[in-house]
Amino acid sequence: MTQNPSIGISQSRASTAGQDLVRIVRINEEIKSIVAVAFKINIMALNAIFLAKRAGTTALGFGVLSNELRVFSQDLKSAMGGLSGVIHEAVTEVSVVLKDQRLISLLNRAQEESGGNARVAAALELRQKQMVEHQSQLRAHRRQLKMVMENVAQLVELGGVLAKSAKIEAAYGQGFSNALGQVSGEFDGVVEDIRHSLVNLNKSEFFLQR
Amino acid sequence: MKATQCFYQDGEHKWVAIVRDPARPDCLIDTNEYLVSYNGSGLLLDPGGAEIFPAVFSALSAEFDPAALTGLFASHQDPDIISSLALWLEFNPKLPCYVSWLWASFIPHFGGSAETFVAIPDEGMEINLNGLNLQAIPAHYLHASGNFHLYDAKAKVLFSGDVGAALLPAKSDNLFVENFDAHIRHAEAFHRRWMGSNEAKRAWCERVSRLNIDMLCPQHGAIYQGADVERFINWFDGLRVGVAVG
């Protein structure tokens, strides 16, 4: 059997789309882990607010920052929810592209084996146009995902600043400074975890494609 | 590529079998597709799975203009029967697919829209192919719970889906059954396991015994012709089916 170059191209694109699906799944898993951390920050911040109340006037600043960290965790959760929405749309689009590619591959083989049929050629052309549109949609989702991630990164920077400030405030907590210091250290640690996850997300080859 | 063999012809009235693909991977069960053509229009019976679409399409093209296909007939819902539907619809989005009403909302998972499907009622129906009356004959539970065969009274040909199917050894490429006793050994286990109801089997045997059949064409294996048709019906009638070992 002769090799049809168009089949080769189609199969190579198919494997790219298949890899995209795997990459999106990994991104989604990372997002889920960040959402879990956001939930943890919320609980930690709630405990920190109670601790600050017990510490009284010496931990007023710490209390304000804990409250801000709680708001941060909610903002983060909501931003990650937005990311999940874009991910869902990207999965849909990748699946459609995979279907386009499978149909194109089989139609190409039919065209090759039948020696050429005008209606198959027309169906191929139409399906290829549709695939180009779907790939363009996928690129748009990729850009949107990248943009939302940049916004999340800025939000996480703010979280990092809040955690560092909480550390400083903890030092003024007098009798509670050890306890406050431990809590603020934990804040710093979990924000660092999120930053690490975001770095991983940004490294995904899904974003390296144009 | 699969081979085409015209096994009935009377002027512009033809039955063509699309069979035996030497390039078929072993993991795919071998299937027979059939084309009934009449006065330039064609109906493709059990058009096959998506993976074999290129082989079926190219073989069909060698014998018949695929643009003159006016419909698809699916005996039931299995992937080796109709998972190529999306590809046939790429070729001609207006192609109707005749299938049991039971599967009309299941098969769209392979492709097609509400307009694609012509739902066959349980009692069967006539399908007009450009002036040729074909009869969808009920064969429920043989093996699918909504299952039809297609009878052409003029050609005396019955397309019998999975009934009569034989899982033949590799290189058995005869279109017709040559030695019934040797052939039926390859059909027995299949029928015992796949056919789910002795009552349905008995009803089918009685129903088709009343038809005038020269050739009985299954979706797998070879075609029964002449005296082998009655031999097969009698053999099937006496077989205990719906039996799973273990």
Side-chain angles (χ1 to χ4, degrees):
Chain A
M1 184 188 284
T2 55
Q3 283 294 316
N4 181 343
S6 56
I7 294 174
I9 289 166
S10 178
Q11 280 173 344
S12 126
R13 281 178 184 158
S15 62
T16 305
Q19 285 164 356
D20 268 349
L21 197 57
V22 172
R23 286 167 190 149
I24 292 172
V25 167
R26 284 188 194 138
I27 291 171
N28 198 40
E29 286 305 304
E30 204 72 58
I31 289 172
K32 276 157 67 183
S33 77
I34 295 177
V35 170
V37 174
F39 179 75
K40 195 172 161 189
I41 294 176
N42 192 15
I43 301 292
M44 282 166 60
L46 200 61
N47 286 334
I49 290 165
F50 291 138
L51 184 63
K53 280 201 189 262
R54 278 213 308 278
T57 50
T58 56
L60 274 178
F62 188 89
V64 170
L65 286 165
S66 299
N67 206 38
E68 285 302 313
L69 276 162
R70 200 164 172 234
V71 172
F72 159 71
S73 77
Q74 282 156 354
D75 288 349
L76 183 63
K77 194 178 165 201
S78 152
M80 297 320 279
L83 262 180
S84 290
V86 184
I87 284 282
H88 176 76
E89 286 167 13
V91 166
T92 304
E93 215 56 52
V94 169
S95 306
V96 170
V97 170
L98 276 171
K99 184 183 165 197
D100 289 337
Q101 287 166 339
R102 177 163 158 73
L103 292 176
I104 286 169
S105 163
L106 289 164
L107 286 170
N108 260 325
R109 271 173 51 201
Q111 186 71 329
E112 184 197 36
E113 289 179 25
S114 67
N117 177 294
R119 277 176 91 153
V120 172
L124 260 170
E125 194 183 342
L126 180 65
R127 180 54 66 176
Q128 269 157 348
K129 271 186 194 160
Q130 286 169 339
M131 186 171 74
V132 168
E133 280 169 27
H134 295 142
Q135 283 172 328
S136 156
Q137 288 281 337
L138 185 58
R139 278 195 296 277
H141 288 315
R142 190 177 281 131
R143 285 194 297 273
Q144 197 184 349
L145 202 56
K146 187 83 180 158
M147 218 163 66
V148 178
M149 273 178 49
E150 279 164 12
N151 292 340
V152 171
Q154 283 179 2
L155 190 63
V156 171
E157 283 313 308
L158 171 70
V161 170
L162 289 172
K164 295 259 181 305
S165 301
K167 251 184 175 174
I168 295 166
E169 284 296 323
Y172 297 105
Q174 294 178 358
F176 284 89
S177 62
N178 277 349
L180 294 173
Q182 192 184 342
V183 171
S184 60
E186 283 171 9
F187 276 133
D188 205 25
V190 289
V191 171
E192 199 48 49
D193 286 347
I194 296 172
R195 200 178 277 128
H196 183 71
S197 289
L198 280 178
V199 169
N200 280 345
L201 280 177
N202 273 309
K203 277 186 196 162
S204 168
E205 284 183 54
F206 181 69
F207 298 113
L208 299 179
Q209 296 166 57
R210 289 183 180 178
Chain B
M1 186 170 125
K2 296 190 98 172
T4 55
Q5 274 185 264
C6 178
F7 59 91
Y8 171 86
Q9 180 160 19
D10 179 15
E12 287 297 295
H13 183 190
K14 282 187 191 176
W15 273 77
V16 176
I18 303 169
V19 292
R20 317 288 182 264
D21 178 8
R24 173 184 57 84
D26 288 341
C27 61
L28 292 177
I29 189 168
D30 190 32
T31 55
N32 303 329
E33 292 73 34
Y34 295 96
L35 169 77
V36 195
S37 67
Y38 191 77
N39 287 339
S41 296
L43 182 70
L44 188 61
L45 317 184
D46 283 4
E51 277 303 314
I52 61 156
F53 170 81
V56 173
F57 184 87
S58 55
L60 176 73
S61 302
E63 180 74 31
F64 182 79
D65 177 5
L69 276 181
T70 53
L72 304 173
F73 173 88
S75 61
H76 58 290
Q77 85 295 359
D78 277 352
D80 63 323
I81 304 288
I82 191 64
S83 69
S84 60
L85 179 62
L87 288 147
W88 289 104
L89 294 174
E90 287 281 307
F91 175 72
N92 179 0
K94 289 184 179 168
L95 212 52
C97 177
Y98 295 89
V99 67
S100 162
W101 68 272
L102 206 61
W103 305 121
S105 59
F106 287 73
I107 295 181
H109 283 280
F110 290 140
S113 61
E115 291 73 39
T116 306
F117 299 95
V118 181
I120 307 176
D122 278 343
E123 63 273 21
M125 66 183 271
E126 278 196 353
I127 297 171
N128 188 301
L129 177 63
N130 201 14
L132 176 70
N133 274 334
L134 299 165
Q135 189 68 43
I137 305 285
H140 307 310
Y141 298 101
L142 301 172
H143 68 91
S145 44
N147 206 117
F148 285 98
H149 297 164
L150 195 76
Y151 178 57
D152 179 345
K154 195 162 179 284
K156 299 178 189 165
V157 174
L158 176 69
F159 166 64
S160 60
D162 278 324
V163 173
L167 306 178
L168 300 174
K171 294 181 183 172
S172 298
D173 53 3
N174 290 330
L175 182 63
F176 292 101
V177 173
E178 303 286 333
N179 176 333
F180 184 84
D181 292 333
H183 176 87
I184 211 68
R185 286 203 290 272
H186 301 294
E188 187 170 335
F190 179 88
H191 285 78
R192 280 193 197 282
R193 181 66 194 258
W194 259 265
M195 304 301 154
S197 159
N198 284 298
E199 290 85 347
K201 177 204 67 175
R202 167 54 59 90
W204 180 87
C205 290
E206 284 178 1
R207 194 174 299 127
V208 300
S209 294
R210 292 193 291 269
L211 303 174
N212 192 359
I213 304 170
D214 279 350
M215 280 178 271
L216 187 142
C217 308
Q219 196 232 347
H220 309 282
I223 295 173
Y224 303 81
Q225 63 175 339
D228 281 344
V229 173
E230 193 181 340
R231 236 175 246 136
F232 172 76
I233 296 169
N234 289 338
W235 170 85
F236 189 37
D237 192 40
L239 188 73
R240 195 172 149 248
V241 299
V243 184
V245 178

